[in-house]
Amino acid sequence: MDPQSIVCHTCSGVLLATDSRTYTAQRGRLIVTNGYCTCPPAAEAAAPDTRAQQQPQDERLPSGQIPAAMVRA
């Protein structure tokens, strides 16, 4: 088994396997010494975080006013 194919080039951690048969003794030793890859998945890294853009901005209220969402009916 080529260790370069199972080790992340960025963080040197062991990449997750898609098949349980690839978990060999050599892979186990690499996991113990290097740990698993901690890099974000490629799809997550490529997509920008749009949650902050979609949330409404806090509006400043004059002191003493309670936001309508906090008033009990």
Side-chain angles (χ1 to χ4, degrees):
M1 178 188 301
D2 180 22
Q4 293 301 322
S5 63
I6 61 173
V7 175
C8 176
H9 296 290
T10 305
C11 69
S12 300
V14 178
L15 300 170
L16 295 176
T18 56
D19 186 4
S20 63
R21 292 177 287 180
T22 60
Y23 284 100
T24 61
Q26 179 186 8
R27 188 182 195 102
R29 284 189 293 275
L30 280 171
I31 292 169
V32 170
T33 58
N34 297 9
Y36 281 105
C37 173
T38 57
C39 297
E44 195 176 293
D49 187 13
T50 58
R51 288 179 288 170
Q53 296 171 355
Q54 294 174 349
Q55 293 177 348
Q57 294 180 357
D58 290 338
E59 294 181 15
R60 301 265 179 199
L61 297 174
S63 62
Q65 284 189 337
I66 301 173
M70 296 179 74
V71 176
R72 293 185 187 198

